[in-house]
Amino acid sequence: MPAYKLHYFNLRGRAELARLILNQAGVEFEDVRFERAEWPALKASMPFAQVPVLEVDGQMLAQSNTISRYLARQHGLAGKDEWEQAQADMYADNINDLMTGMRPAFLEKDADKQKELYQKFMTDSVAPHVAIVEKQLEKNGSGHLVGKELTWADLAYYGYFSFLVEKFGEDFLKDAPLLKALIAMVEALPNIKKWVESRPKTEI
Amino acid sequence: MPAYKLHYFNLRGRAELARLILNQAGVEFEDVRFERAEWPALKASMPFAQVPVLEVDGQMLAQSNTISRYLARQHGLAGKDEWEQAQADMYADNINDLMTGMRPAFLEKDADKQKELYQKFMTDSVAPHVAIVEKQLEKNGSGHLVGKELTWADLAYYGYFSFLVEKFGEDFLKDAPLLKALIAMVEALPNIKKWVESRPKTEI
């Protein structure tokens, strides 16, 4: 097994999916976390002056979904064939888009305006997405987003949607029993449960 | 060979990388283009109410880099092993980030403010990225971004950077001879040359 080090801020954010994959696969890794004040000194050591970065036996890999996909492939969570793998990629990209779409609200300094931007994001971006994914889950019929087994797509949806539930409550899932069940299913996986209970508590 | 249909606006934008891959691989596909006015009527037929979408024997796949990666894997342009494939993924994600980062400037209605936003984007995002990629190309030493052969990463950098050259001139590449050479190398590939000469001329 290679020696993995995952470099990121002391946040869930863009690194948590990789951590969920590694934990679910039962793979040891060094979870290297740093504070914002340390970042300027570290920046130049990262391949594109960005994190997360996965270090694999000393070689550096950047870009969150690239890291997660690589780990999912190495550890049996990528999907059983090329088409399933592509579908898992698609779902992971959806989550990436939602994260990016939420950034303007997150960065807003004015509290009232921030609240308004968050509401707009939940109404314009999350609500229609939830409705579509609920239909896809119904069509797929297995309780998983892709095929009949757990993939990193399920972990991606769990990671992001459990964060939204924590932040905004679960009202936005009221017409999405299958997505709610998916989140609960992942949350109950023993390795995930153990990780979620033991990981550092962070706001995002 | 499956029957491919690529659904997108009559633009290069987020679909052009898939088109470059298909052309380079010499694979036939139906390049389904529509105008903005037609989009509202088509939206519901797309898996996440978004395009590009690749239709593969009637099955739909969304998300631009997911589509491009799938095509690259099917047609020998993804990299020779898992690590090379991950590196190609990383480069493709970089281009996706640059495209997303350019959106606020693109959407700005006020001409002066737009010019300012474009300049800021070129200075703050493109210039440091070009400097880093130039070093990576030097380190890799093959004239390619990944390994020793052409991958979809090279096509992604060609597609986006040739667009920037077209829009802003090539001054931003003055200290990046290797990146410039990469763009010229891809542009001279016979299948790419033929495609670029024959494709619809569009602003983006």
Side-chain angles (χ1 to χ4, degrees):
Chain A
M1 193 73 73
Y4 293 122
K5 285 188 197 179
L6 186 63
H7 301 266
Y8 196 58
F9 296 100
N10 182 26
L11 299 171
R12 283 175 283 168
R14 301 271 187 180
E16 193 60 16
L17 178 54
R19 297 187 190 117
L20 291 169
I21 293 166
L22 287 161
N23 275 282
Q24 175 57 21
V27 174
E28 278 195 30
F29 70 105
E30 197 177 327
D31 193 20
V32 184
R33 291 167 183 250
F34 49 84
E35 298 301 323
R36 294 211 172 268
E38 300 171 79
W39 174 234
L42 289 168
K43 203 169 166 174
S45 65
M46 299 300 156
F48 293 97
Q50 290 171 346
V51 280
V53 162
L54 179 71
E55 201 178 329
V56 185
D57 289 337
Q59 286 193 289
M60 311 288 263
L61 189 66
Q63 286 287 358
S64 53
N65 271 356
T66 289
I67 292 168
S68 296
R69 178 181 310 105
Y70 177 74
L71 292 170
R73 281 178 182 272
Q74 295 295 305
H75 302 290
L77 289 164
K80 71 169 169 44
D81 57 29
E82 290 282 344
W83 184 254
E84 278 199 10
Q85 291 175 6
Q87 284 179 287
D89 284 355
M90 174 181 78
Y91 282 109
D93 283 348
N94 287 343
I95 295 298
N96 190 54
D97 283 356
L98 288 172
M99 284 186 171
T100 303
M102 203 174 177
R103 249 181 99 76
F106 176 71
L107 295 173
E108 177 58 49
K109 301 275 186 247
D110 180 89
D112 287 345
K113 202 165 174 198
Q114 185 177 54
K115 203 178 159 190
E116 200 182 294
L117 285 173
Y118 273 134
Q119 273 169 355
K120 191 174 155 50
F121 174 73
M122 291 302 284
T123 308
D124 295 357
S125 301
V126 172
H129 190 80
V130 165
I132 288 172
V133 171
E134 186 68 12
K135 275 189 201 157
Q136 305 257 19
L137 281 167
E138 202 182 325
K139 203 171 139 194
N140 197 36
S142 70
H144 296 286
L145 287 166
V146 177
K148 294 181 178 174
E149 282 168 31
L150 186 78
T151 65
W152 68 300
D154 296 326
L155 299 179
Y157 271 68
Y158 162 71
Y160 187 66
F161 280 91
S162 65
F163 157 73
L164 288 186
V165 167
E166 195 181 301
K167 195 164 175 67
F168 302 111
E170 60 174 18
D171 196 47
F172 74 95
L173 291 173
K174 67 178 187 309
D175 298 323
L178 298 175
L179 183 52
K180 232 168 136 170
L182 172 82
I183 296 166
M185 176 273 291
V186 175
E187 199 153 51
L189 294 168
N191 285 1
I192 297 297
K193 196 169 152 42
K194 201 174 137 194
W195 166 247
V196 168
E197 283 167 4
S198 68
R199 71 185 173 193
K201 307 290 169 239
T202 58
E203 194 207 340
I204 58 167
Chain B
M1 190 73 72
Y4 294 122
K5 284 188 197 181
L6 186 63
H7 301 265
Y8 195 58
F9 296 99
N10 182 26
L11 299 172
R12 283 174 284 167
R14 301 271 186 178
E16 193 61 16
L17 178 52
R19 297 186 189 117
L20 290 169
I21 293 166
L22 286 161
N23 275 281
Q24 175 56 21
V27 174
E28 278 194 32
F29 70 105
E30 196 178 328
D31 192 20
V32 185
R33 292 168 182 248
F34 49 85
E35 299 302 323
R36 293 211 173 270
E38 299 171 77
W39 175 233
L42 288 167
K43 204 169 167 175
S45 65
M46 300 299 157
F48 294 95
Q50 290 171 347
V51 280
V53 162
L54 179 70
E55 199 178 330
V56 184
D57 288 336
Q59 287 192 288
M60 310 289 262
L61 189 66
Q63 287 287 358
S64 53
N65 272 357
T66 289
I67 291 168
S68 295
R69 180 181 309 105
Y70 177 75
L71 291 170
R73 284 181 180 269
Q74 295 294 307
H75 302 291
L77 289 164
K80 72 171 167 40
D81 56 31
E82 289 282 345
W83 184 254
E84 278 197 10
Q85 290 174 7
Q87 285 179 285
D89 284 353
M90 172 180 79
Y91 282 110
D93 284 347
N94 287 342
I95 294 299
N96 191 54
D97 283 355
L98 287 173
M99 284 185 172
T100 303
M102 202 170 177
R103 251 181 96 77
F106 177 70
L107 295 174
E108 177 59 48
K109 301 276 186 246
D110 179 273
D112 288 343
K113 203 164 174 200
Q114 184 177 53
K115 203 179 160 189
E116 198 183 294
L117 286 172
Y118 272 135
Q119 272 169 355
K120 191 172 155 53
F121 174 74
M122 291 302 283
T123 308
D124 295 355
S125 301
V126 173
H129 190 81
V130 165
I132 289 172
V133 171
E134 186 67 12
K135 276 187 201 158
Q136 305 256 21
L137 281 167
E138 201 181 325
K139 203 171 139 195
N140 197 35
S142 70
H144 296 286
L145 287 166
V146 176
K148 295 180 176 173
E149 281 168 29
L150 186 78
T151 64
W152 67 299
D154 297 326
L155 299 178
Y157 271 68
Y158 162 71
Y160 186 66
F161 279 91
S162 64
F163 158 72
L164 289 186
V165 167
E166 195 181 303
K167 195 162 175 68
F168 302 110
E170 60 174 17
D171 196 48
F172 74 97
L173 289 173
K174 68 178 184 307
D175 298 322
L178 298 175
L179 183 52
K180 230 167 135 169
L182 173 82
I183 295 166
M185 176 273 290
V186 175
E187 198 152 51
L189 293 168
N191 285 3
I192 297 297
K193 197 169 152 42
K194 201 174 138 193
W195 167 247
V196 168
E197 283 167 3
S198 67
R199 72 186 172 192
K201 307 293 169 238
T202 58
E203 192 207 342
I204 58 168

